[in-house]
Amino acid sequence: MRPPTFFPSKLGRALAVAALALGVLATPAMAGIAPEEANSANAESIRTAYWVMLIVVVMIGLVLLGALLAAFRRFRDGGAPERPRQLTAGRGVAAKATAGLSVVAAAIFVFGVAMTGGARSVEADENAEAIDIRAVGMQWLWRYEYPVQESGASPGIATVFSYQDLVVPADTTVNIDLTSVDVLHRWFVPALGGQLTAVPGETSEMSFRAEEEGVFEGRSTEFSGTSYPAMRTRVRVVSQAAYDQYLEDLEADLAAGRQAVAPEAPAAEEDQGA
Amino acid sequence: MTPPPTIAERRPELVTRELPRQRAAWTEAATSADHKAVAKLYLGTSLTFLAIAAILFALTRLQLIVPDSTIIVPEVFNRLNTAANATFVIFAAIPFVLGLIGYIVPLQIGARGTALPRLGQVSYWLYAAGAFVFYASFLYTVPEVALSPLPPLSDDFFSPSNAVDAWIAGVGLAVLGFVCFAVNLVATLNSLRAPGMAWRRAPVLAWAARAIGYTLLVIGPAMLAALAMLTVDRQFDGVFFNPGQGGEPLVFMHLSWIFFAGCHAILIVAACAVISEIVPTFSRKPLFSHTAVTGSLVAIAALGVLAWMQNMYAEPVPDGFAFFAMAAAVFMLVPVGLLFFVWTATMWNGAIAAKAPIGLSIAAAIALVLGLGGQLATAVIPVGLQLEHTAAGHQDTVMVMVGFTLAAFAALHYWLPKISGRTVSEGPAKAASALILGGSLLFALTMFFAGVDGQPVDVFRYYEDDGVSTLNLFASIGAFAVTIGVLVELANLARSHTSGREVGHDPWGGSTLEWFALSPPPAHNFDAVPDVRSAEPLRDIRDAIAAREAAYVPPAPPPPEPRPPSFAEPEPNPPGEQPAPVGDPDPDAKPPVS
């Protein structure tokens, strides 16, 4: 029988080398693991859940795998008798293990439920007005319709819209109503929140409140046909003044464009993106 | 008190009315309804498709070595990707599981065949026809659907060519075959177990087969229904999934995820069952808790199917349903943790023979921990909202598939001596498992980082600005290592058929009934089926023989005793005379004097 050292010296050396390698690689690895910095409360709670679960899963994995590998290393070809003691579980051992694991699973479930609300939307803020944006997915770009009605336009038809880039003011609740005119698409801007699928004929809702100004990249994560990797989007978070100015400019541009193309055409025929 | 006998009494069990006709070996293999012949077809075909899937996977990674890549045009990349997904799941992994349990489980439960042998045979040919139809699309247009043809993208407006029809027909035929197989499997398990084999004594793989059979009976029809509705939509202007006419595209997504989540669970159950069979045999100890393992396998199958919506957190699904899916997915920790606990406890204080099957099992367990750990993390809704459908959230599936593949190779090293009567060489297996595990770790880690940086799955291109170029380069290197490892090991397995060492009926000292049959087993499997008194009948038989040998006292040389008179024999010679020579007569001997 081999002396019952838990870690043979060879393994100890290997562990030391691994620890050294980990120390050297820690910085780039952390850069790889860390997601894009959050710029909204939703994204913040998603980040929290991500880090907590990363640590929990690594700990569970280390325990399960460490025990298994230790048992394998220690008892393989150890000169033990051909027929070792035929030990099996006594009554209740499996039940105790089940109970312990169930407690961990239940804790993770409760944690998940607690974090979900904050990840999907933000609490309504009575003091400030919310902006309702309608986002329409189409192969392979996004069209954003802003809550501005041109005087004289028929109700329900957006007259101020942009493609690819969404401009929103900072520190204001933005409600996104997501839909699609052709196939399934998924809207995902990691800095502002989680993923949401645009389903044709339905409206999916989410909301966020961007904290800082900046430009945030997003991509579709649902396969939507041949040119699917090209389906990207960008959210520009600007100050309230810049936002108002942007809408004004956009409205003027669109009106001028309409005038140039078809002086008498009604606004409804603008829908040419699909 | 004497223990009940473990070797069966004589029972008239074989009836034949005529001698079977002799046919050519290949005719016999292709037309026999014997479960072993059908299972060999399943195994051979599925391993061929595993090689094809590995090559397709390497081709897709070839495109992603460099940013802004134009090596493969987008349509072709999407087709290769679609073919790789369907080939691995539908035409390689699930049929491999069916082939393995189709061969081994009837032997394990002491059956002389299956309950509905023709249905088992039909199931193989449906699967083969499905694979043929799918691959025939390489002659015209291969579908571009990624994993599953989700409407509206797959309806006749957005996919007017016949490519999606090839997916529907190919996968539909194969799934119909799997359902037929499951009917036969469940009937066999319920009606043909050896005398004394109550369910609590049924071997682990038989329990896994039971769980897999019932799972297929649930998820197979769901997929067939979805495909039938999609066919109606495509061919007959149906409205099942057409949102403009009251249809609902998400229904297809639900049914499709029920099927693929079930497939995922089946592969986990199969991998864990194989490990649970191999670990006790090679530790020379019984399984620490048979009940815990069989219960865990059933729980994984059930929870895996119930958690189908964990892939749909981003869809507009009400919170209650998402919580239900999260609960099922998170509680998967319990059976998986129990399995690891039992494997560890089984090896503890054992005398582990470090052979290829247990080495590959340990490699599979490493991959499964990573895969199932990732699955646990993404099951939590906020984490899922961030990681699912990106390359990061995809890596848990990848590692589970790698774990399954390694467990499949472990199973072949363990059971091929039963199937072909020859052992598989261990050296190439070591190299292959190192390549597969190392390569997949490199691939999964780098693609996890790329996914956290925002790279989605199924993309044919990324840009220099995305900052994931180096990661993708290393991921491709890892992917090529995995492909080479898979091909090396498949070649090693194929080689064993001609160059393997011939072994007897029980090369490993196994404790279940398949090791009681000859290697390879005869058509009727067993001459006599033993009575089963525990979960390890073969160990009982060995113990009984050992006890009999220990109790055996060589008797003193018997005193010369006059033999009783018999009508058939002549009168015994009177004492003092030479007995008549028996056998080869000595030519020099003189004839006895009368």
Side-chain angles (χ1 to χ4, degrees), chain B residues 432-491:
Chain B
S433 59
L435 275 173
I436 295 172
L437 194 61
S440 64
L441 287 177
L442 181 62
F443 175 78
L445 205 62
T446 48
M447 285 315 283
F448 182 85
F449 293 165
V452 168
D453 282 350
Q455 182 170 338
V457 285
D458 303 325
V459 289
F460 62 80
R461 179 178 295 166
Y462 55 91
Y463 301 98
E464 190 74 60
D465 301 343
D466 294 342
V468 291
S469 310
T470 321
L471 295 172
N472 275 279
L473 171 66
F474 280 105
S476 287
I477 293 171
F480 297 151
V482 172
T483 300
I484 293 169
V486 168
L487 295 179
V488 165
E489 177 62 10
L490 286 174

Side-chain angles (χ1 to χ4, degrees), chain B residues 28-42:
Chain B
E28 187 65 36
T31 59
S32 165
D34 179 40
H35 72 97
K36 298 182 289 299
V38 173
K40 273 176 146 173
L41 290 175
Y42 259 114

Side-chain angles (χ1 to χ4, degrees), chain B residues 130-142 166:
Chain B
F132 178 80
V133 168
F134 186 89
Y135 270 85
S137 72
F138 275 77
L139 298 176
Y140 49 102
T141 322
V142 184

Side-chain angles (χ1 to χ4, degrees), chain B residues 206-217:
Chain B
W207 267 95
R210 192 188 195 196
I212 289 168
Y214 281 112
T215 305
L216 278 175
L217 288 182

Side-chain angles (χ1 to χ4, degrees), chain B residues 269-561:
Chain B
V269 168
C272 291
V274 165
I275 299 173
S276 306
E277 287 273 1
I278 288 174
V279 162
T281 302
F282 286 82
S283 307
R284 305 196 182 104
K285 274 179 67 190
L287 205 52
F288 185 66
S289 171
H290 190 260
T291 327
V293 167
T294 54
S296 297
L297 295 178
V298 173
I300 290 174
L303 292 173
V305 176
L306 288 179
W308 84 89
M309 275 183 291
Q310 73 158 310
N311 302 293
M312 297 177 63
Y313 291 157
E315 272 69 41
V317 171
D319 271 354
F321 288 93
F323 290 154
F324 170 74
M326 175 163 73
V330 164
F331 273 86
M332 191 98 106
L333 169 67
V334 178
V336 171
L338 263 185
L339 283 171
F340 273 82
F341 169 64
V342 171
W343 298 339
T344 307
T346 304
M347 288 199 282
W348 203 260
N349 276 328
I352 299 172
K355 294 274 204 280
I358 195 163
L360 285 163
S361 297
I362 297 289
I366 294 173
L368 284 176
V369 159
L370 293 168
L372 295 170
Q375 204 182 319
L376 176 66
T378 51
V380 173
I381 293 173
V383 185
L385 285 176
Q386 184 200 345
L387 294 184
E388 274 304 332
H389 317 293
T390 71
H394 189 53
Q395 295 319 306
D396 57 51
T397 316
V398 168
M399 287 318 289
V400 167
M401 296 304 138
V402 168
F404 167 78
T405 308
L406 287 167
F409 289 151
L412 288 171
H413 273 264
Y414 185 56
W415 278 301
L416 260 191
K418 176 56 60 189
I419 296 172
S420 68
R422 290 166 186 274
T423 55
V424 186
S425 171
E426 303 217 329
K430 247 182 226 171
S433 59
L435 275 173
I436 295 172
L437 194 61
S440 64
L441 287 177
L442 181 62
F443 175 78
L445 205 62
T446 48
M447 285 315 283
F448 182 85
F449 293 165
V452 168
D453 282 350
Q455 182 170 338
V457 285
D458 303 325
V459 289
F460 62 80
R461 179 178 295 166
Y462 55 91
Y463 301 98
E464 190 74 60
D465 301 343
D466 294 342
V468 291
S469 310
T470 321
L471 295 172
N472 275 279
L473 171 66
F474 280 105
S476 287
I477 293 171
F480 297 151
V482 172
T483 300
I484 293 169
V486 168
L487 295 179
V488 165
E489 177 62 10
L490 286 174
N492 182 33
L493 292 165
R495 223 177 104 250
S496 80
H497 266 279
T498 50
S499 66
R501 193 164 47 80
E502 285 195 36
V503 287
H505 67 107
D506 183 14
W508 311 115
S511 52
T512 38
L513 280 184
E514 76 269 31
W515 306 110
F516 189 66
L518 295 175
S519 300
H524 59 281
N525 291 354
F526 302 98
D527 287 341
V529 179
D531 280 347
V532 176
R533 292 281 172 262
S534 77
E536 301 185 300
L538 208 60
R539 228 164 61 100
D540 297 344
I541 292 174
R542 276 200 297 269
D543 288 355
I545 291 171
R548 214 177 273 184
E549 277 175 1
Y552 178 72
V553 182
E561 214 175 274

Side-chain angles (χ1 to χ4, degrees), chain A residues 33 35 75 77 81-82 84 86 89 98 101 105 109 113 120 182 186 188 195 197 200 202 219 222 226 228-229 232, chain B residues 144 158 243 248 284 286 288 313-315 319 323 330 349 351-352 385-386 388-389 452 454 456-457 460 466 539:
Chain A
I33 294 173
F75 296 103
D77 297 333
E82 189 67 12
Q86 305 289 292
T98 308
L101 288 162
F109 174 71
V113 171
R120 279 245 168 88
D182 41 35
R186 203 171 283 125
F188 183 33
Q195 307 178 22
T197 306
E202 280 179 40
R219 317 177 198 210
E222 171 69 46
T226 303
Y228 143 68
R232 300 187 172 209
Chain B
E144 289 178 59
F158 293 102
E248 173 53 89
R284 305 196 182 104
F288 185 66
Y313 291 157
E315 272 69 41
D319 271 354
F323 290 154
V330 164
N349 276 328
I352 299 172
L385 285 176
Q386 184 200 345
E388 274 304 332
H389 317 293
V452 168
V457 285
F460 62 80
D466 294 342
R539 228 164 61 100

